[in-house]
Every structure is written in C-alpha cells, then in structure tokens.
Amino acid sequence: MTTGKTRVAVNGYGVIGKRVAEAVILQDDMELAGVADISADWRMQVADGKGMRIYAARPEASAAMTANGIEVAGSLDELLAAADVVVDCTPKKVAAANIETYRRMAKKFILQGGEKHEATGHSFVAECTYESALGRDATRVVSCNTTSIVRTLSALKRVGLLRKARGTLLRRATDPWESHLGGIMNTLVPEPEIPSHQGPDAQTVDPELDVLTMAVKVPQTLSHLHYWNVELTRETAKEEVLDAFREPSRIALVRIDRGLAALNAVKEWMLDIGRPHGDLYEVAIWEDMLKVDGNELYYAYMVDNQAIVIPETIDAIRALAGTETDGKASMDRTNGTLGIGKVARLAATG
C-alpha cells in the first residue's frame, strides 16, 4: 500500500543517522522505511523502543541484535528495496564502499560530508544547490564546517558585500558520546596543511567563493568555533552586515551580553528551549562581537557538528525525490518541523 510519501532508509544509526531518522519522522511528506546498522548496543535498543524498523547492515549483525532483544526486520538489501531514497550516515569512507550497492539496486542516495565530492559529483547546501540537485541520483551533504561557511559567506555574497574570506576553525576533538574512546588531551593539534580542506570543500558548492581556511583540533567536544576575517567589496556599517546575516533562516545572531558567552551556554539554551538532543541547527553568530572596520569584517560563530547538516539532509531528500521543486519551499517546510527560526526570534527579543 502506497502513501504517496517518500520512503527514506537511513543506513548508519550514529550521531547523524539517529537525528536524520527522527527528522524524517517529523515530515508529512516522508516516511521512515527503517534504519540499518552493524551495532547491537544501547543505541539500536533505543531505536527499537521508538518503534523504528531495524535492519542488519551485515548478516552477522542480525544474530547479535536478536540476542539483545532487538527485533530485526531484515537485511540491508531488504531495507533498500522498501525505500525511494537512502541516506548513508555510516562512518567516513564506509559510505563510498556502499555506493555500488545503491547503484546496483537503482536507489537514489545521499552521502555525508566525510566523503569526497567526486563520489556523487554534486555537493549540497539547500540555499545554494537545491535546484541543481533536483532529480539527481545522488548528492553529498557537505560537512558541518563547510555548511556553516557556505551559509554565512553566501549571505554576504547575496547582498554584494563579499570579496574574499579567511577563516580559522577551532575544531572539537571528538563527539561527546565517544570522548572516552579517543580524542586529544592537554594539547592543540593544527591541521598539517594550509588551506585546510573546508575552504576548497565550500568551493565545490560555490566555485566563486574566494575562501581560505586554517584549522586546529582543540581538547573539547561541544561543537566548533570559527573566527573570520572578510574583505568586503566596499566600506559599510555594522548594521548592514547584521541585516545580511538576519535574512537567512538558518543563521541566528546571539549575544554575549545576554549570557550566551560560550559554546556550552548556547548548548544549554538549546536544551532549555526543548530542542531534541540540545541541537543547534543554525549557525550562531555573536552579534555583539562582530566588528566592521571600513571594508573589513571580523566575526565569530558556533557550529553544532551534530546538528547543522540535519535540515540540509531533509531538503536533499526532497530534491532527489523531486517532490518539491522550490528550494525555499522545502526549507520552509523543514524549518517548520524542526523549529528553525524560533531561535533567531528569541535571540532578537532577548
């Protein structure tokens, strides 16, 4: 029995996969066909408890899941057969090996930013490349940091202010849930090359961006912090820049003088307003820190690495499925289900 909704499979139920699955469930034009993984631990037990259909990504995983009381609906191939679009949220470089399976079964698929642009030939940020993704067989939702770069620099570009941008990224060492397994302690680790990969990656979305990035890993797990120096096309006032950043729905201006002085404070704010997992889907730019000096702009922002790509992934599903041809309309639907826009209003009113 068909519902007319896009049936979505999520392969990989980790940090991103579980959030994608939960977001799919909220969409009235999609249904979650199921989730696949190789793990049989507490994460899959939670998914099972939420009523999601669980599939074993590998044959040997099925027995372990069953032994842990998880009801297994079938194999990965069976999940793919029941889906229109598959979102691959498996670990970095694993997804590239899954492409052959997706193509063999003629399934549209979405990769995450850990994979190379060449794997799909298309990189996705909804505001910039929605229309070019329409009807494609595959796309790649770029990484959390790249998503933030494209969102913020595109906001300046749209109003004719962007000439070139240089950014320094302070990158969290590992995700919070696995900080006991690895990461760094009592040190900072610079990425060995300049530019770091995020700038060139942003150019896969918009080749016109004159952007260079440098990055360093820092011993903390709560999101990333970016510092940017932008050369503007002309001298301007701070308010014009702020207006440019206010326009996109997925940027939120926050203020240090209202207590949001650090990453943990913003994360706590997200928890207090009821965001699932305390997720910040927006780029949070510090409004009162931002400085304009003639034609130079300086600003900093927070990137929630676990959350920022979730709305982009939902929009990418619609684009590949062709169920919505207008990117803004898709973004509006996604924003409404995830509460995006509410943060910007709260920040503006204090």
Side-chain angles (χ1 to χ4, degrees):
M1 182 178 182
T2 180
T3 63
K5 298 181 179 183
T6 301
R7 300 168 300 170
V8 181
V10 176
N11 186 14
Y13 193 76
V15 167
I16 300 298
K18 68 181 179 183
R19 288 169 166 83
V20 170
E22 291 168 2
V24 166
I25 291 171
L26 295 176
Q27 311 307 310
D28 61 10
D29 59 341
M30 302 177 192
E31 65 179 35
L32 183 65
V35 300
D37 207 278
I38 60 172
S39 172
D41 64 12
W42 60 271
R43 292 166 294 173
M44 302 313 298
Q45 292 172 337
V46 170
D48 189 34
K50 290 183 175 181
M52 297 180 189
R53 292 174 62 83
I54 310 298
Y55 292 79
R58 295 177 187 165
E60 62 270 22
S62 182
M65 289 178 176
T66 301
N68 283 352
I70 299 167
E71 183 177 349
V72 180
S75 66
L76 175 60
D77 278 7
E78 289 173 307
L79 171 59
L80 297 178
D84 302 306
V85 177
V86 55
V87 181
D88 192 302
C89 301
T90 57
K92 185 176 181 179
K93 298 183 180 179
V94 174
N98 293 332
I99 291 176
E100 182 180 345
T101 299
Y102 304 148
R103 295 200 186 281
R104 171 174 57 82
M105 298 189 67
K107 296 299 174 180
K108 294 177 180 287
F109 61 92
I110 296 167
L111 304 183
Q112 297 297 313
E115 308 307 318
K116 299 293 186 183
H117 170 78
E118 291 73 23
T120 63
H122 188 270
S123 292
F124 189 92
V125 175
E127 288 177 305
C128 298
T129 57
Y130 187 96
E131 280 72 21
S132 61
L134 287 171
R136 288 183 59 89
D137 291 333
T139 188
R140 176 187 70 122
V141 173
V142 295
S143 74
C144 51
N145 284 314
T146 303
T147 298
S148 75
I149 293 168
V150 173
R151 283 188 193 172
T152 53
L153 296 186
S154 294
L156 297 171
K157 181 182 175 183
R158 278 192 293 271
V159 296
L161 285 174
L162 178 66
R163 185 181 301 280
K164 66 180 182 182
R166 303 295 181 255
T168 299
L169 288 59
L170 305 179
R171 302 182 58 201
R172 66 91 180 95
T174 189
D175 287 323
W177 84 271
E178 58 184 2
S179 58
H180 63 297
L181 301 176
I184 62 175
M185 280 280 279
N186 197 35
T187 189
L188 302 177
V189 183
E191 288 204 6
E193 295 184 359
I194 298 175
S196 59
H197 70 273
Q198 293 86 4
D201 199 30
Q203 292 169 329
T204 67
V205 179
D206 185 350
E208 295 181 354
L209 294 178
D210 185 344
V211 56
L212 184 145
T213 51
M214 299 174 285
V216 55
K217 288 183 181 178
V218 298
Q220 63 91 30
T221 65
L222 287 177
S223 304
H224 306 301
L225 177 65
H226 286 214
Y227 274 86
W228 285 88
N229 173 205
V230 174
E231 181 182 335
L232 303 173
T233 56
R234 54 181 168 80
E235 293 188 6
T236 188
K238 177 176 179 176
E239 197 59 30
E240 183 179 10
V241 172
L242 291 175
D243 283 343
F245 285 146
R246 289 185 183 113
E247 182 62 27
S249 60
R250 294 177 182 173
I251 293 176
L253 298 178
V254 297
R255 297 187 62 91
I256 293 171
D257 63 10
R258 290 178 182 166
L260 298 173
L263 306 184
N264 60 305
V266 176
K267 194 72 171 175
E268 187 73 8
W269 183 33
M270 293 300 99
L271 287 164
D272 284 352
I273 67 172
R275 283 279 180 88
H277 312 288
D279 284 343
L280 172 70
Y281 304 115
E282 301 86 348
V283 180
I285 298 177
W286 276 282
E287 175 182 356
D288 44 352
M289 182 196 299
L290 184 146
K291 180 178 179 59
V292 176
D293 183 4
N295 70 333
E296 288 193 274
L297 166 64
Y298 307 89
Y299 62 96
Y301 62 72
M302 172 180 172
V303 182
D304 188 337
N305 55 287
Q306 300 181 111
I308 190 174
V309 300
I310 305 306
E312 307 300 324
T313 303
I314 296 301
D315 292 326
I317 293 168
R318 288 199 186 95
L320 294 192
T323 54
E324 175 55 71
T325 59
D326 183 80
K328 184 179 183 305
S330 177
M331 291 180 66
D332 287 345
R333 291 180 78 166
T334 303
N335 291 352
T337 59
L338 298 182
I340 296 172
K342 179 181 178 182
V343 167
R345 291 193 297 272
L346 284 171
T349 60

